[in-house]
């Protein structure tokens, strides 16, 4: 069974541009979570999608947004990129909307120059 | 707000020895879960062990075990018979009552010396 897959693996963008990151959950999982892992800051909760709806978001500005598609895959969009957005973005999925059994992907390394 | 603190930015251990990673957390809730995740250079977060707060018995997974001290809000990870493949960043995490959010500590980098 395939795990959580994220694409692209690496992404380099210029300040002010937009970045789109993609996540495919484990088959049958309906909940998708996004986390930002900036250097030295640990993982910060970004967004939670379940059944196609945004259910909760962390303490991030509105230029961080996303969506979940009917097949439960998800997209994270970051607009007006800033240098401090450079980080590893991790996606996780779970069978139920409960993060006690979340499985993570390998992340997308976003570098803003 | 819940917080998770890992006071050891880096730890090292000799192969085949035992090492303990520390974690403390702050919460006023009674229903919660605690986790240890491992992040090797491949970057994928791998669940090592999970503890439900209502269970008094410490969780164990092969060479990995925890010392859960609920009153002290402490949740340490013991790795026995350390192997070179155990080298990674280890993150302690908290989840309140099955909610959607995991709160992570800043991690401990474990080095295993041959």
């Amino acid at each position: 069974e395939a795990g959580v897959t994220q694409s692209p693996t690496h992404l380099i963008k210029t300040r002010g541009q937009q970045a789109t990151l993609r996540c495919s959950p484990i088959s049958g999982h309906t909940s998708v979570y996004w986390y930002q892992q900036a250097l030295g800051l640990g993982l910060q909760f970004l967004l939670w999608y379940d059944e196609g709806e945004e259910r909760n978001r962390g303490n991030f500005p509105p230029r961080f947004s996303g969506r979940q598609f009917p097949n439960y895959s998800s997209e994270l969009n970051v607009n007006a990129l800033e240098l401090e957005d450079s980080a590893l973005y991790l996606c996780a999925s779970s069978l139920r909307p409960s993060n006690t059994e979340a499985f993570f992907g390998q992340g997308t390394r976003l570098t803003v120059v | 707000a819940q917080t998770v603190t890992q006071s050891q930015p880096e730890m090292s251990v000799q192969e085949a020895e035992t090492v303990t990673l520390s974690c403390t957390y702050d919460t006023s809730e009674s229903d919660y879960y605690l986790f240890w995740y491992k992040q090797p250079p491949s970057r994928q977060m791998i669940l090592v062990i999970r503890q439900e707060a209502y269970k008094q018995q410490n969780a164990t997974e092969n060479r990995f075990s925890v010392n859960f001290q609920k009153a002290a809000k402490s949740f340490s990870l013991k790795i026995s018979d350390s192997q070179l493949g155990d080298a990674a960043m280890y993150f302690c995490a908290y989840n309140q009552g099955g909610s959607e959010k995991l709160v992570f500590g800043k991690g401990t980098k474990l080095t295993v010396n041959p």
Side-chain angles (χ1 to χ4, degrees), chain A residues 27-92:
Chain A
S27 177
H29 286 193
T30 62
S31 277
V32 171
Y33 315 84
W34 287 95
Y35 288 84
Q36 182 194 66
Q37 187 178 15
L39 193 62
L41 293 180
L43 281 82
Q44 304 291 320
F45 169 72
L46 250 173
L47 287 160
W48 169 41
Y49 292 95
D50 184 64
E51 296 285 358
E53 300 282 333
E54 180 182 305
R55 303 293 185 179
N56 200 3
R57 65 182 294 127
N59 189 25
F60 283 85
R63 56 191 187 81
F64 286 85
S65 65
R67 53 179 171 168
Q68 186 177 34
F69 299 98
N71 65 355
Y72 303 114
S73 66
S74 177
E75 221 172 58
L76 173 68
N77 296 295
V78 188
N79 295 319
L81 285 165
E82 300 178 1
L83 296 178
E84 37 284 20
D85 296 334
S86 294
L88 179 67
Y89 290 84
L90 289 164
C91 170

Side-chain angles (χ1 to χ4, degrees), chain B residues 2-7 21-27 34 36 69 72-76 92-94 104-105:
Chain B
Q2 293 84 11
T3 58
V4 176
T5 302
Q6 294 179 248
S7 60
L21 307 184
S22 301
C23 172
T24 58
Y25 59 96
D26 185 25
T27 184
L34 295 164
W36 278 98
Q69 302 288 328
K73 296 180 182 175
S74 170
F75 183 63
S76 60
C92 179
Y94 166 99
F104 286 86

Side-chain angles (χ1 to χ4, degrees), chain A residues 9-10 33 35 37 40 42-43 45 48 56 88 90 97-102 104-109, chain B residues 33 35 37 39 42-47 50 89 91 95 97-107:
Chain A
T9 306
H10 294 85
Y33 315 84
Y35 288 84
Q37 187 178 15
L43 281 82
F45 169 72
W48 169 41
N56 200 3
L88 179 67
L90 289 164
S98 162
N99 219 332
T100 60
E101 300 176 40
F104 283 80
Q106 290 186 298
T108 293
R109 172 75 67 190
Chain B
Y33 297 77
F35 308 82
Y37 280 90
Q39 187 179 40
S42 67
R43 308 181 321 197
Q44 185 170 16
M45 297 286 282
I46 301 166
L47 179 64
R50 183 177 84 167
M89 284 291 291
F91 292 92
N95 173 264
S99 74
E100 74 282 1
K101 188 167 69 172
L102 284 167
V103 178
F104 286 86
K106 292 188 177 181

